[in-house]
């Protein structure tokens, strides 16, 4: 009888603990969905930007440690319009939405693809860049189409849109790769190092990164396959749903950068395209 009482007591304590954790998580989420933090951001004078600092050409570090890239330039230009200083924080990309919800960062701004699944948890700015997925292989690999990856090893970044699309459309590429399972990397740079060394035979990643890598970092050694096979990505800034004022201000600033030619210059500098596309405001 005594053991039964002890068991019931421990069971009750366990249930209470689970409920408390659940309530705490719900409370954080509710706060993120309801609280407008613009006044706090304005008073602080900085915008905290969550990035993967190895994502060429959006955000990456030079040999001297300086953070550069497409989104670095765009973020600084937007912040200048808003009277803020851009403060970049390197984060675990697979935890990006959690970091945002917990208030560690104010925005996710790093080649962040707008999807229906993410839109349930995150508010998105206007789309400022469009790209798809590409399979990057060595030119001497003999791989010319997805089916040529049969039995070969594919690398992909954890938490990336490339990884999501690989699983979502298994008949496009996944069905061909070794064991039907890719090698998962924490960052794109590591996967390309393995591709260069011949440890894997292909990398699936965003066409922007793929194109930059193939043309800027190791010229004439790689080729891109299947640029028009996967659905195109829409890249935007992600923020908490409660930050309605910040959303409006970032959308306004992006529009101003389109008008004054800055957006076009950034596209030309980092992507080599003469374009200033900017999606509509929701």
């Amino acid at each position: 009888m005594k053991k039964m009482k002890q068991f019931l007591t421990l069971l009750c304590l366990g249930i209470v603990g689970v409920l408390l954790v659940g309530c705490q998580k719900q409370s954080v989420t509710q706060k993120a969905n309801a609280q407008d933090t613009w006044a706090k951001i304005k008073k602080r004078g900085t915008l905290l930007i969550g990035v993967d600092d190895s994502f060429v050409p959006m955000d990456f570090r030079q040999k001297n440690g300086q953070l550069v890239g497409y989104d670095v330039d765009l973020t600084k230009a937007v912040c200048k319009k808003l009277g803020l200083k851009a403060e970049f924080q390197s984060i675990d990309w697979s935890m990006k939405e959690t970091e945002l919800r917990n208030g560690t960062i104010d925005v996710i701004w790093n080649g962040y693809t707008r999807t229906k699944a993410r839109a349930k948890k995150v508010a998105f700015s206007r789309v400022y860049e469009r790209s798809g997925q590409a399979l990057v292989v060595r030119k001497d690999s003999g791989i010319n189409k997805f089916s040529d990856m049969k039995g070969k090893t594919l690398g992909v970044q954890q938490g990336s849109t490339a990884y999501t699309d690989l699983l979502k459309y298994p008949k496009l590429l996944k069905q061909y790769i070794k064991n039907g399972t890719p090698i998962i990397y924490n960052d794109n740079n590591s996967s390309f190092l393995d591709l260069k060394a011949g440890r894997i035979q292909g990398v699936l990643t965003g066409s922007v990164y793929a194109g930059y890598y193939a043309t800027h970092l190791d010229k004439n050694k790689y080729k891109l396959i299947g640029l028009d096979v996967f659905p195109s990505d829409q890249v935007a800034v992600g923020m908490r749903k409660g930050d309605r004022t910040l959303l409006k201000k970032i959308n306004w600033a992006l529009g101003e950068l389109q008008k004054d030619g800055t957006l076009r210059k950034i596209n030309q500098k980092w992507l080599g395209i003469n374009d200033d596309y900017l999606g509509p405001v929701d």
Side-chain angles (χ1 to χ4, degrees):
M1 189 67 175
K2 185 177 180 180
K3 289 184 178 180
M4 179 60 73
K5 287 182 178 179
Q6 289 176 336
F7 172 75
L8 291 173
T9 300
L10 290 173
L11 181 61
C12 289
L13 288 173
I15 293 172
V16 170
V18 171
L19 289 173
L20 286 174
V21 171
C23 289
Q24 185 178 22
K25 183 177 181 180
Q26 185 179 28
S27 177
V28 172
T29 302
Q30 288 177 337
K31 184 177 180 181
N33 289 340
Q35 187 176 25
D36 190 318
T37 65
W38 172 250
K40 179 180 177 182
I41 293 171
K42 188 68 175 177
K43 184 177 180 180
R44 186 204 304 144
T46 58
L47 186 67
L48 306 179
I49 303 121
V51 301
D52 166 8
D53 63 4
S54 65
F55 189 26
V56 180
M58 308 310 277
D59 298 84
F60 64 101
R61 295 194 183 278
Q62 295 180 315
K63 291 182 179 180
N64 62 4
Q66 182 181 359
L67 188 69
V68 297
Y70 180 105
D71 275 332
V72 174
D73 286 358
L74 185 60
T75 304
K76 288 180 177 179
V78 166
C79 284
K80 186 176 181 180
K81 293 286 186 183
L82 301 182
L84 298 172
K85 180 181 178 181
E87 183 175 322
F88 300 93
Q89 294 191 14
S90 299
I91 60 173
D92 180 343
W93 194 243
S94 65
M95 296 293 291
K96 53 192 174 295
E97 286 87 7
T98 300
E99 298 275 15
L100 181 66
R101 184 182 65 232
N102 291 343
T104 309
I105 56 176
D106 296 318
V107 294
I108 303 171
W109 201 330
N110 190 194
Y112 189 44
T113 304
R114 176 174 179 159
T115 66
K116 290 182 178 179
R118 287 172 173 172
K120 293 178 181 179
K121 299 180 288 186
V122 174
F124 280 100
S125 73
R126 305 173 69 175
V127 173
Y128 62 84
E129 191 267 316
R130 298 169 292 181
S131 67
Q133 306 306 324
L135 173 64
V136 185
V137 299
R138 290 171 51 152
K139 283 188 175 180
D140 60 3
S141 65
I143 300 171
N144 299 301
K145 53 186 181 296
F146 282 1
S147 59
D148 291 336
M149 281 292 292
K150 187 173 183 179
K152 295 181 171 60
T153 305
L154 177 76
V156 66
Q157 183 186 18
Q158 182 178 3
S160 66
T161 305
Y163 181 57
T164 300
D165 281 355
L166 180 71
L167 300 182
K168 187 175 181 180
Y169 306 100
K171 292 185 178 180
L172 296 181
L173 177 59
K174 187 176 183 293
Q175 65 169 327
Y176 299 114
I177 63 177
K178 186 176 181 179
N179 299 322
T181 305
I183 302 296
I184 308 299
Y185 293 87
N186 288 327
D187 56 77
N188 276 303
N189 187 54
S190 298
S191 65
F192 274 95
L193 287 175
D194 276 359
L195 178 65
K196 186 176 183 178
R199 288 185 284 269
I200 61 177
Q201 288 70 56
V203 173
L204 185 68
T205 188
S207 58
V208 169
Y209 178 86
Y212 181 88
Y213 188 93
T215 57
H216 287 74
L217 301 183
D218 277 301
K219 294 182 179 179
N220 300 319
K221 292 184 179 180
Y222 302 93
K223 58 184 176 182
L224 276 58
I225 297 172
L227 284 167
D228 57 350
V229 177
F230 285 98
S232 61
D233 297 339
Q234 295 189 320
V235 177
V237 187
M239 60 206 86
R240 291 176 289 271
K241 286 184 175 293
D243 278 321
R244 298 175 184 83
T245 303
L246 178 62
L247 175 61
K248 291 179 181 178
K249 289 184 176 294
I250 287 179
N251 281 338
W252 169 82
L254 287 171
E256 292 298 301
L257 295 177
Q258 183 189 50
K259 291 177 184 177
D260 66 21
T262 301
L263 183 59
R264 186 180 296 276
K265 290 178 181 177
I266 293 174
N267 275 306
Q268 290 175 329
K269 175 182 178 181
W270 291 106
L271 307 182
I273 58 175
N274 184 28
D275 184 55
D276 66 349
Y277 171 80
L278 195 59
V281 177
D282 289 340

